Amino acid sequence: MTAHLRTALTDLVGIEHPIVQTGMGWVAGPSLVAATAAAGGLGILASATMTFAELEAAIAKTKAHTSKPFGVNLRADATDAAERIDLLIRTKVAVASFALAPKQDLIAKLKDAGVVVIPSVGAAKHAVKVASWGADAVIVQGGEGGGHTGPVATTLLLPSVLDAVDIPVVAAGGFFDGRGLAAALAYGAAGVAMGTRFLLTQESTVPDAVKQEYLSRQLHDTVVSLKVDGMPHRVLNTELVQRLEHSGRWRGLAAALANAARFQKMTGMKWSTLVRDGLAMRKTAGLSWSQAVMAANTPMLLRAGLVEGNTRAGVLAAGQVTGIIEDLPTCQELIDRIVTDAVARIQAVGALADRANSAAGNSE
């Protein structure tokens, strides 16, 4: 029987274990999310790469495979964000997570409907802001994490956020085993969130050949690139990434426009919608025009690698933990062993304190 760790996160969401599977674009679909939920963790669907109809179908499919709580990751700056929030409320999704902070009124609407709101943040000041707006918890990702990331390591970013807010804080960036969970809890976090570790599970729909590419890499084999979409993006260091790194600005913009056309054709979105989303992203994230255009690269470059398995034409978002992961367990096996190991680590540390107290008592 798997041990349990009760934290503010498990109480808040109603899950068994303080482990979150992040909403990775093209990866976090119904199969992975349902498996994570069934194993007692919090699975989060990635909706940024889904049309509204696809998200609606994904929620229904996930609910068909599990009755346990799960979440949906949303883009707060999406033009149809309000409609997607209504969908979450209507279908009784347990958690709404956000990559960019949602407006205060959207948080209030979700909370009034009983939906737990957990934005992701990259700095203590952002955690303070969303906490003041009513967010129930935050996920804080250090620079070790994959995808869009910041420059500060988890070991420094996490305590800075914990000191700044009094809502539950979930640690992300560099976590993959029980040692990490025990360490995060020791810092004062309410749990851990993992992306790359869940990408490398049996229920992940990433092609097997791509998973093997990840498993073959070492700790030094990721790079933070600005050439993928104009923002710091941690990815596997591939030939394509190296070409992007050495490409000129205009070539990057041309590629971004071409990828935007491919994304528009694939999703059926109107050009006016894509333009409005780009304008919203530019305003919300403070991007330049060239960065906003380059952001069109992300969905298609990630899709080529993570869905189509074309590592020559696609980008593979990856946390630094890629270099230390060696297997492809089921979500159940992964969560069970992380929690079991974390409990053992916590008990071992407690035994150190007991021995110290005993020794002090004997010396008196």
Side-chain angles (χ1 to χ4, degrees):
M1 181 178 178
T2 303
H4 284 75
L5 290 165
R6 182 176 178 180
T7 72
L9 175 66
T10 61
D11 288 347
L12 175 66
V13 183
I15 54 178
E16 296 172 62
H17 307 302
I19 297 174
V20 178
Q21 162 255 301
T22 59
M24 300 164 281
W26 304 117
V27 177
S31 172
L32 183 58
V33 172
T36 301
L42 175 63
I44 298 179
L45 282 170
S47 79
T49 51
M50 298 179 185
T51 63
F52 183 88
E54 288 171 340
L55 174 58
E56 193 170 28
I59 291 173
K61 188 172 182 179
T62 305
K63 283 183 169 290
H65 286 89
T66 183
S67 60
K68 294 186 176 182
F70 66 92
V72 172
N73 182 259
L74 300 164
R75 265 185 52 195
D77 61 345
T79 52
D80 63 348
E83 289 79 9
R84 291 180 183 237
I85 284 171
D86 288 340
L87 173 63
L88 266 61
I89 293 171
R90 185 169 67 251
T91 55
K92 301 187 186 307
V93 169
V95 174
S97 82
F98 293 87
L100 294 172
K103 298 298 184 182
Q104 194 168 359
D105 59 334
L106 293 184
I107 294 177
K109 183 174 184 178
L110 287 161
K111 286 171 63 74
D112 288 346
V115 181
V116 175
V117 180
I118 309 180
S120 293
V121 299
K125 64 180 181 181
H126 300 147
V128 170
K129 178 184 290 186
V130 296
S132 71
W133 287 351
D136 296 293
V138 291
I139 295 174
V140 53
Q141 177 177 303
E144 300 95 322
H148 291 125
T149 196
V152 182
T154 303
T155 50
L156 298 174
L157 183 61
L158 177 59
S160 75
V161 174
L162 286 164
D163 289 345
V165 297
D166 58 5
I167 59 176
V169 175
V170 180
F175 296 99
F176 67 99
D177 66 358
R179 291 172 294 184
L181 175 56
L185 296 178
Y187 270 103
V192 297
M194 304 183 298
T196 305
R197 178 62 278 195
F198 275 106
L199 184 154
L200 295 172
T201 58
Q202 290 186 26
E203 290 90 353
S204 162
T205 56
V206 172
D208 288 341
V210 175
K211 291 179 183 178
Q212 292 303 319
E213 178 73 15
Y214 276 88
L215 292 177
S216 71
R217 295 308 190 101
Q218 304 302 311
L219 282 171
H220 59 271
D221 284 336
T222 66
V223 63
V224 176
S225 174
L226 291 171
K227 290 296 187 73
V228 175
D229 61 6
M231 294 176 282
H233 203 118
R234 186 176 292 282
V235 295
L236 283 188
N237 194 4
T238 61
E239 289 183 14
L240 171 62
V241 170
Q242 284 301 306
R243 289 200 303 273
L244 288 173
E245 284 294 294
H246 294 94
S247 66
R249 178 185 178 189
W250 293 113
R251 181 178 176 183
L253 290 175
L257 289 169
N259 277 323
R262 291 175 60 208
F263 187 67
Q264 186 272 338
K265 183 176 181 181
M266 182 186 70
T267 61
M269 288 185 182
K270 296 179 180 178
W271 275 108
S272 58
T273 299
L274 288 176
V275 171
R276 285 199 304 271
D277 281 353
L279 290 171
M281 184 183 297
R282 182 172 182 263
K283 181 180 179 180
T284 304
L287 303 182
S288 66
W289 276 111
S290 61
Q291 285 175 316
V293 173
M294 285 181 69
N297 262 337
T298 306
M300 298 313 297
L301 288 177
L302 290 175
R303 187 179 190 278
L306 297 173
V307 178
E308 299 168 3
N310 187 346
T311 57
R312 290 181 176 274
V315 167
L316 302 174
Q320 285 184 301
V321 295
T322 300
I324 206 167
I325 294 173
E326 298 179 339
D327 61 352
L328 299 170
T330 65
C331 290
Q332 186 73 60
E333 290 168 345
L334 176 63
I335 290 177
D336 284 353
R337 81 183 185 203
I338 287 176
V339 174
T340 299
D341 188 31
V343 169
R345 303 272 174 175
I346 292 168
Q347 290 172 340
V349 172
L352 291 175
D354 291 341
R355 286 201 293 272
N357 291 334
S358 177
N362 291 335
S363 66
E364 293 177 354

